[in-house]
Amino acid sequence: MGQYGIGQPVARFEDPRLLRGQGRFINDVNLPGQAHAAMLRSPHAHARIVSIDTTAAQAAPGVLAVFTEADLKADGLGTMRVNLPRKRPDGSPLFYVPHPGLARGFVRYVGDPVAMIVAETLAQARDAAELVAIDYEILPSVTDTARILDPDAPAVWPECPGNLSHIYEMGNKAATDSAIASAAHVVKQRIVISRVYAQFMETRGAIGVYDPGEERYTLYADVQYPHRVRDALARNIFKIPESKIRVIAGDVGGGFGTKGWQYVEHRLTMYAARKIGRPVKWTSTRSEAIQSDEHARDNICDATLALDAGGKFVGLRVDTLCNVGAYISAERNLLSTFSNVSTLAGTYAFPAAYTHVNIAFSNSNPTAPYRGAGRPEATYVIERIIDTAAAQLGIDRVDLRRRNLIPESAMPYRNAFGVNYDCGAFEKGMDGALELADWNGYPARKAESERRGKLRGIGIVNAIERAASPGLEFAEIRFNPGGSAMVLMGSKNQGQGHETMFKQIVNEKLGLDPYETQYIDGDTDRVAFGIGTMGSRSTVIGGSALTVAAGKILVKARKIAAHLLEAAETDLEFADGNFTVAGTDKGVTIKAVAMAAFQPARLPPGMEPGLYETGTFTPKQDTYPNGCHVCEVEVDPDTGAVEVLKYAVSDDVGTVMNPTGLKGQIHGGVAQGLGQALMEQVAYDPESGQLLSGSFMDYAMPRADTTCDIKIISNPVPTALNPLGAKGAGEAGTVGALPVVVNAVLDALRDHGVKDLEMPVTSERVWRAMQAGAK
């Protein structure tokens, strides 16, 4: 293991240019002759568009074009599609409607795009947008998740009365119902998981370009999977070969899943560029972002936990209502509703489990994956109801968990939902977190808080997530004639430190100097293929693809080295970038081998010159990163204010590629989990459907003083499912943070009559709950 190899705490190679302000984000891209676009969005949650008059806007200074849905329809632009074989309760296919690009006849949420105005300047486009005259007939709306399936709830789509798109089931219903019916103890709880928004640092943007000579589009956009965006635009929207579209994604200022897929502004800027013959740029304003982008979470779960007389879990049933907003445009809008329900069983041995999910429409933004994409929700449900069971049955919380943890000796373990946990040491991880958090010293700290008039609480959760699901990823290593190299990756960085991590892999496998290795991603013309970045897959699948490519490089490089050293291939040893003849001091560096590869006279007879190889990898099954989180909070009984005092994590992400990078990922994930648990919420007025949290004045965000020092230890159990032994780390922090914070707050309030709280556990909610508990 060298200075820059796997496992080393290498400082990020990306950081110097980013800290100097030399990044290239979407708004840094400006093209000659570009025009500017502004989106006109619906001010209503639900309304019929009686008429649209764009005459005044089209005549406004600098305006080049005004587009409505009629223009898109006339030019034959397509829409996205859903291919999942989901059913409604009567057995009919799922009901879904993809967004047409601009609203068609009706608007169905506040922010629904109605028209796009293109002008010489952004100010002119925005001024002209105010001149578009739209006559709306306001209709009843429903945004409250608890009401969307009510018989009297307004229909978001007349073709779908009742608002139920489809259902999803997993597990054994009969066995679970039987286990619950015969259990010694049954604990039930309604658990509400609030709607949130990613609030990335960089708001979304897009620049569309059309080259009439090549009849080819280029899209500059801040997306997480450029190749899939290209393919979706080509196949579904423009109905042209993929070769006719190039997608370029430079630096991305945060994605978290929300920037993953194909937004309507992508197709609209490309379409407009072709229509006006100039590049068209659109950039979301901060106030526009929460109206224009996909939201996340927003579930109501009714959980039932069954236990025997000895406190062993015998059954789990979870009935969930998922609010997916007004449109379902692609599978992405459904991923969080089904892809991770298998982890509802957590790290625990359940003989039987079953979940039923209702996926329903509302007059709100569509939802999609956001850091965790169903894993935080699943962990929240199981870990909240375990604490409730412990309180009701008078069993110590840690002891109840310990009685039911899957032992390491049982691995691989097929859980009650039928998925295979291939490896893990859950009890060891929990013990590590308890020690790191000084759990045994908590009573003394609680007493000290009470002396100061504060309420102290501690929470513990065991988290597990389904990560790096099977799917292809691509990598290429391409040497230059001078011996330097390029690494081209299909996964896309949005701040996670991909460049550093991938350079560590090629340093480990090939001994390449990271400062002589160029890193490239995000360009569909430069990188041959890629699925992209989501679901903690980049290290697991992308890193494995890079390992495959490195292996191919070594095979050819060994042949060249043997020829150069006049030795047999079997006599060569390779380490730290050097081929040596065993037992001698004769050797040659891989850099010298690469240089020789471009000189035919120095190659073995018949060998093709050059040294460049690709690698593609897909795993056989998901990996299961896991960990234990412990959080300690203090509550001010006079104000309800919550302060996070201590936070400890013991995490198993398999092989640790970079300890410093891993801690950064966990820190960021925990911060996002804390934000949702304590303060974040997308809120709507229940009567009008108006968005009430459209700015940072109304949507609270965590700050540096929200969190505390986070202690982290690793409990690595490398997986055999990929050559690196990695499990995925990008979402681990968030998965455990949601429940552990709420559990800690409830622990502080339990002696004051408070048995439950809905997140976010704001100071007002805590204070009101305490007043109610006192009565």
Side-chain angles (χ1 to χ4, degrees), residues 47-395:
R48 184 171 73 90
I49 301 173
V50 178
S51 63
I52 301 179
D53 185 352
T54 63
T55 306
Q58 289 175 327
V63 171
L64 302 170
V66 180
F67 299 105
T68 66
E69 191 275 331
D71 299 297
L72 310 186
K73 186 176 181 179
D75 284 329
L77 261 66
T79 60
M80 297 295 291
R81 64 183 67 176
V82 176
N83 298 310
L84 291 173
R86 299 283 182 257
K87 301 290 184 181
R88 305 186 77 191
D90 62 3
S92 61
L94 85 164
F95 179 86
Y96 78 99
V97 180
H99 201 288
L102 293 168
R104 179 180 294 165
F106 293 80
V107 291
R108 289 183 164 85
Y109 65 93
V110 173
D112 205 351
V114 179
M116 183 171 78
I117 300 87
V118 182
E120 295 284 354
T121 70
L122 181 57
Q124 289 172 331
R126 289 175 178 169
D127 287 345
E130 297 183 7
L131 300 177
V132 177
I134 304 179
D135 182 12
Y136 289 108
E137 177 192 347
I138 299 176
L139 301 173
S141 64
V142 60
T143 54
D144 182 356
T145 303
R147 284 197 57 233
I148 57 179
L149 291 183
D150 286 356
D152 60 345
V156 178
W157 297 95
E159 308 93 320
C160 185
N163 293 325
L164 182 63
S165 165
H166 64 285
I167 63 172
Y168 179 77
E169 298 174 287
M170 194 173 195
N172 189 322
K173 183 179 185 300
T176 303
D177 289 346
S178 175
I180 293 171
S182 60
H185 305 287
V186 175
V187 178
K188 296 185 177 183
Q189 185 171 10
R190 168 159 283 201
I191 297 169
V192 177
I193 300 168
S194 53
R195 175 175 284 240
V196 290
Y197 170 61
Q199 298 286 15
F200 20 70
M201 291 179 68
E202 177 197 27
T203 57
R204 288 192 306 108
I207 304 177
V209 183
Y210 182 71
D211 184 335
E214 292 189 349
E215 296 182 335
R216 192 165 191 256
Y217 296 92
T218 298
L219 172 68
Y220 296 85
D222 49 341
V223 295
Q224 295 177 220
Y225 12 98
H227 290 83
R228 293 172 67 195
V229 169
R230 177 199 64 181
D231 296 351
L233 287 166
R235 295 177 189 176
N236 298 312
I237 308 301
F238 293 100
K239 302 168 187 175
I240 56 178
E242 291 101 319
S243 59
K244 291 293 185 180
I245 297 178
R246 178 186 186 184
V247 175
I248 301 173
D251 291 313
V252 179
F256 313 117
T258 308
K259 287 184 180 176
W261 197 234
Q262 206 283 308
Y263 277 97
V264 298
E265 293 85 5
H266 300 156
R267 73 187 79 165
L268 293 175
T269 54
M270 295 166 68
Y271 169 78
R274 179 168 64 83
K275 297 292 283 188
I276 71 170
R278 291 168 57 176
V280 174
K281 180 174 186 175
W282 170 80
T283 303
S284 172
T285 64
R286 179 62 68 183
S287 59
E288 182 181 17
I290 200 166
Q291 299 180 45
S292 68
D293 299 355
E294 292 163 327
H295 296 167
R297 318 283 198 230
D298 205 349
N299 303 336
I300 297 176
C301 302
D302 288 303
T304 303
L305 176 64
L307 306 90
D308 68 14
K312 296 293 290 285
F313 301 158
V314 295
L316 174 71
R317 174 168 179 147
V318 181
D319 295 291
T320 298
L321 170 59
C322 293
N323 179 349
V324 293
Y327 294 89
I328 297 175
S329 295
E331 282 88 347
R332 131 178 203 85
N333 298 120
L334 302 175
L335 281 174
S336 299
T337 69
F338 72 88
S339 62
N340 284 285
V341 296
S342 58
T343 55
L344 280 165
T347 58
Y348 307 103
F350 278 95
Y354 168 75
T355 182
H356 175 101
V357 185
N358 287 325
I359 294 92
F361 296 104
S362 73
N363 294 111
S364 59
N365 292 52
T367 58
Y370 164 63
R371 202 168 193 167
R375 285 98 94 187
E377 296 95 308
T379 302
Y380 189 78
V381 171
I382 184 62
E383 293 294 327
R384 287 284 295 106
I385 199 168
I386 288 175
D387 260 29
T388 300
Q392 288 187 14
L393 303 180
I395 303 175

